[in-house]
């Protein structure tokens, strides 16, 4: 997993024209350079910003946007019209641009210079109408972009740019990404299934199936020394249950789990995969269902979801990339059990084993217990509680003719009571605007029981991501009202019938 996103660049492109003469264009160039450098050096912006010379003709616009397409470090472009840049000049370039675009509707000067403003100043500082001309052609061409309005040194503006930039990096990370699927979809489950070819066309990542037998071969090639060394890491990092300490009756199960983790890691790294999915129904030759292996791989940055759910696995990966460097975690989650207390209704989220320790509040305990399904040896898993605080659930579903991303803002809660007999990590939250509305809206929208649970992303991150991908985003938050929500879904359905990409 990346530790910083600063080696990704946004290109800062300013539009103008030859009408104003050399002196004005020189000032436009200098001002743009100053803005780009200010943004690039901001510690509030996760990526770098690269100044590009001001574009003044259709040819220059086409060339810079074609170069942005071809540059692997360029995750997107910021456009700004300091002066007027007649936007018919932009049509040919925008037609071929396939990197994310942010239209920064800003102005070089923060305030009107009341005492000194003359016609030269008016000639140079025309963003208020130059950016409207640019916005018009983007709307006419149905180009998905983010528009941010405000002074470029304003913290709120920079925070919005950062949000979009993080979504753009995650999008770049998906392009050409490979996800491995061991086994097929679990049983007859609908929501975890979907069109993998359509997903590759819409999102740029591929999902292909790999034989469990080939994975088992790699697991069996792991040596006892490698296992010893990983067991030592376990002992340093977690609180081991008594029966898996040296000499304990389940010690061998822990060693088997470590061998699975080492084999799975090697398989994924050798194949260049960014995530995976598996199913407990297809584990032929494996001694136990990967528990701690999957948990630790997720914590390292691999996308994962259970039961063949490749869509959630890919979304988990994207959210982890988006949140690089932010405090808190992003995890594969499953709605499990409700607490219908009239005073405070809550959802308990967990999974059979695979809950991401990046959510953990304190040191997880490492335990081996029987698993009711799968018919394998007792698997090792990390058990912990999650931190509370603002969070969200997001679900990517295949609606048949398109993909839909559903987001529900929630409030994470600390555990109300201990759960001494539940041998799996768990999370508690309260959906917004309230339990009844949040869950009802989620079900009307067709949201899955599998989600990404994020402690550090906001709806705006996922809005930006959905806009870049050109897919529908359904938002369930403090303002959601069921009386209008159902109609929003119906209108959206019609929109996406009319605007097939
Ligand atoms: Mn599941």
């Amino acid at each position: 997993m990346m530790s910083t996103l600063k080696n990704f660049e946004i290109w800062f492109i300013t539009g103008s024209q030859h009408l104003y003469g050399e002196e004005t264009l020189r000032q436009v160039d200098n001002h743009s350079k100053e803005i780009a450098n200010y943004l690039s050096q901001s510690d509030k912006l996760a990526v770098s910003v690269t100044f590009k010379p001001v574009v003044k003709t259709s040819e220059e616009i086409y060339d810079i946007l074609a170069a942005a397409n071809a540059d692997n470090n360029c995750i997107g472009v910021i456009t700004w019209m300091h002066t007027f840049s007649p936007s018919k000049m932009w049509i040919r370039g925008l037609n071929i641009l396939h990197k994310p675009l942010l239209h920064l509707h800003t102005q070089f000067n923060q305030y009107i210079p009341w005492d000194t403003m003359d016609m030269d100043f008016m000639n140079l500082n025309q963003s208020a109408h130059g950016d409207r001309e640019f916005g018009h052609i983007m709307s006419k061409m149905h180009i998905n972009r983010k528009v941010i309005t405000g002074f470029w040194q304003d913290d709120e503006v920079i925070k919005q740019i950062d949000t979009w930039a993080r979504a753009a990096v995650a999008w770049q990370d998906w392009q050409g990404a490979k996800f491995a699927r061991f086994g097929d979809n679990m049983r007859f489950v609908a929501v975890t299934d979907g069109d993998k070819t359509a997903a590759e066309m819409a999102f740029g990542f591929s999902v292909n199936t790999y034989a469990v037998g080939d994975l088992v071969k790699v697991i069996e090639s792991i040596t006892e020394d490698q296992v010893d060394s990983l067991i030592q890491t376990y002992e340093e990092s977690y609180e081991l249950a008594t029966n898996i300490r040296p000499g304990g009756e389940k010690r061998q199960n822990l060693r088997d789990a470590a061998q699975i983790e080492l084999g799975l890691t090697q398989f994924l790294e050798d194949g260049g995969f960014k995530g995976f999915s598996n199913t407990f129904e297809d584990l032929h030759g494996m001694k136990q269902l990967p528990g701690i292996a999957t948990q630790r791989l997720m914590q390292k940055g691999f996308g994962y979801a259970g039961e063949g759910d490749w869509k959630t696995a890919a979304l988990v990966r994207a959210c982890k990339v988006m949140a690089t460097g932010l405090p808190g975690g992003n995890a594969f989650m499953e709605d499990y059990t409700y607490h219908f207390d009239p005073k405070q209704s809550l959802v308990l989220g967990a999974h059979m084993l695979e809950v991401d320790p990046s959510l953990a509040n304190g040191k997880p305990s490492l335990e081996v217990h029987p698993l009711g399904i799968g018919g394998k040896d007792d698997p090792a898993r990390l058990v912990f509680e999650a931190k509370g605080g603002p969070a969200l659930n997001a679900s990517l579903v295949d609606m048949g003719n398109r993909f839909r991303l559903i987001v529900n803002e929630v409030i994470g809660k600390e555990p109300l009571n201990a759960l001494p007999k539940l041998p799996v990590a768990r999370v508690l939250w309260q959906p917004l605007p309230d339990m009844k509305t949040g869950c009802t809206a989620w079900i009307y929208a067709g949201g899955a029981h599998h989600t990404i649970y994020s402690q550090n992303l906001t709806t705006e991150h996922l809005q930006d991501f959905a806009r870049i991908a050109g897919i529908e985003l359904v938002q369930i938050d403090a303002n959601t009202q069921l009386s209008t929500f159902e109609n929003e879904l119906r209108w959206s359905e019609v929109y996406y019938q009319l605007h097939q990409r």
Side-chain angles (χ1 to χ4, degrees):
M1 192 66 186
M2 297 166 275
S3 56
T4 170
L5 303 177
K6 275 287 180 195
N7 38 347
F8 292 103
E9 296 170 34
I10 307 170
W11 287 10
F12 194 91
I13 301 171
T14 307
S16 189
Q17 58 177 332
H18 278 298
L19 181 70
Y20 311 107
E22 284 310 305
E23 175 53 24
T24 300
L25 287 175
R26 200 184 52 77
Q27 290 180 68
V28 171
D29 225 55
N30 286 340
H31 289 170
S32 301
K33 207 174 288 171
E34 195 177 328
I35 296 175
N37 290 342
Y38 183 88
L39 294 175
S40 200
Q41 281 157 20
S42 170
D43 56 6
K44 296 182 180 72
L45 188 53
V47 304
S48 302
V49 178
T50 307
F51 165 78
K52 294 287 165 185
V54 173
V55 289
K56 305 162 295 286
T57 63
S58 303
E59 291 71 25
E60 287 174 0
I61 290 165
Y62 182 89
D63 289 348
I64 193 76
L65 296 181
N69 282 341
D71 190 304
N72 281 332
N73 284 332
C74 171
I75 49 120
V77 298
I78 292 180
T79 51
W80 171 55
M81 307 302 130
H82 191 355
T83 57
F84 206 74
S85 179
S87 69
K88 286 207 274 184
M89 296 195 308
W90 284 83
I91 292 173
R92 205 163 67 91
L94 290 173
N95 258 335
I96 55 127
L97 179 69
H98 54 76
K99 288 279 167 89
L101 190 150
L102 165 58
H103 180 187
L104 182 58
H105 182 40
T106 190
Q107 184 172 273
F108 183 69
N109 53 302
Q110 185 171 8
Y111 302 108
I112 292 174
W114 301 101
D115 294 337
T116 59
M117 189 158 73
D118 57 12
M119 285 315 292
D120 283 348
F121 181 92
M122 297 280 270
N123 205 27
L124 178 63
N125 295 282
Q126 305 187 40
S127 315
H129 68 275
D131 274 331
R132 286 167 201 249
E133 165 72 359
F134 182 67
H136 168 75
I137 202 66
M138 302 269 284
S139 290
K140 190 162 184 169
M141 292 174 75
H142 293 289
I143 288 179
N144 295 324
R145 79 285 193 189
K146 179 168 189 162
V147 181
I148 299 175
T149 300
F151 185 56
W152 48 280
Q153 290 180 15
D154 181 56
D155 280 351
E156 190 57 37
V157 167
I158 297 174
K159 195 175 165 200
Q160 278 192 284
I161 297 174
D162 181 68
T163 298
W164 171 83
R166 288 175 176 279
V169 172
W171 179 253
Q172 174 91 346
D173 181 73
W174 263 11
Q175 305 313 302
K178 296 195 289 177
F179 292 90
R181 198 164 182 241
F182 301 109
D184 201 319
N185 194 55
M186 187 187 88
R187 300 173 73 84
F188 303 94
V189 180
V191 81
T192 48
D193 219 332
D195 187 335
K196 300 197 282 294
T197 309
E200 189 163 349
M201 289 158 62
F203 301 130
F205 65 73
S206 65
V207 182
N208 289 292
T209 297
Y210 293 83
V212 175
D214 290 337
L215 172 61
V216 168
K217 222 182 292 170
V218 180
I219 292 169
E220 285 173 351
S221 76
I222 299 298
T223 66
E224 292 293 312
D225 283 354
Q226 287 173 282
V227 171
D228 288 342
S229 155
L230 184 55
I231 292 281
Q232 202 185 328
T233 303
Y234 288 171
E235 284 170 342
E236 288 160 7
S237 314
Y238 313 113
E239 216 53 67
L240 267 64
T242 319
N243 64 351
I244 56 174
R245 291 182 191 157
E249 55 163 334
K250 294 289 182 185
R251 182 71 170 181
Q252 187 55 44
N253 292 50
L254 186 66
R255 293 188 65 83
D256 293 342
Q259 192 182 11
I260 290 172
E261 177 179 336
L262 290 159
L264 192 48
T265 306
Q266 190 177 317
F267 188 98
L268 295 173
E269 284 176 353
D270 287 353
F273 297 106
K274 289 179 173 171
F276 69 106
S277 182
N278 57 2
T279 162
F280 65 85
E281 289 188 318
D282 198 343
L283 298 173
H284 193 75
M286 289 176 78
K287 289 180 180 146
Q288 51 181 268
L289 178 65
I292 187 171
T294 302
Q295 291 180 294
R296 284 168 47 85
L297 281 162
M298 288 190 283
Q299 193 169 21
K300 283 179 188 160
F302 288 94
Y304 172 82
E307 292 119 40
D309 186 353
W310 50 271
K311 295 191 300 298
T312 306
L315 189 61
V316 167
R317 166 69 185 189
C319 289
K320 284 174 177 289
V321 171
M322 250 182 270
T324 301
L326 299 177
N330 287 274
F332 164 51
M333 190 54 61
E334 182 168 278
D335 300 77
Y336 242 100
T337 300
Y338 291 149
H339 184 58
F340 276 134
D341 181 338
K343 283 189 234 89
Q344 187 187 40
S345 286
L346 298 170
V347 181
L348 183 142
H351 207 259
M352 287 182 300
L353 302 171
E354 310 92 337
V355 186
D356 189 331
S358 66
L359 300 178
N361 203 359
K363 194 176 190 177
S365 68
L366 176 47
E367 304 174 16
V368 167
H369 299 276
L371 189 67
I373 51 177
K376 294 280 173 180
D377 290 355
D378 302 351
R381 82 292 302 272
L382 296 168
V383 182
F384 55 87
E385 314 273 4
K387 295 180 202 113
L392 60 78
N393 272 309
S395 167
L396 180 63
V397 295
D398 183 342
M399 299 301 284
N401 64 339
R402 70 190 190 285
F403 293 94
R404 169 183 276 173
L405 184 60
I406 301 144
V407 178
N408 185 196
E409 296 179 2
V410 305
I411 299 167
K413 298 282 180 185
E414 308 284 335
L416 305 180
N417 289 296
L419 288 159
K421 300 222 161 154
L422 184 72
V424 71
R426 57 275 181 164
V427 182
L428 275 174
W429 65 83
Q430 180 209 317
L432 290 177
D434 56 71
M435 182 87 168
K436 276 178 190 283
T437 311
C439 295
T440 305
W442 186 272
I443 286 172
Y444 276 133
H449 60 288
H450 280 180
T451 59
I452 153 85
Y453 182 84
S454 177
Q455 295 175 320
N456 50 23
L457 298 176
T458 61
T459 300
E460 190 176 350
H461 287 100
L462 292 167
Q463 266 169 344
D464 289 350
F465 191 69
R467 204 186 288 111
I468 290 168
I471 62 165
E472 179 185 13
L473 181 117
V474 174
Q475 184 174 344
I476 305 166
D477 60 18
N479 298 317
T480 296
Q481 292 184 348
L482 287 176
S483 55
T484 51
F485 185 79
E486 269 192 278
N487 274 334
E488 284 169 24
L489 292 177
R490 293 189 184 108
W491 298 330
S492 193
E493 182 92 35
V494 174
Y495 172 86
Y496 284 94
Q497 298 286 352
L498 294 174
H499 289 276
Q500 300 281 354
R501 271 159 67 93

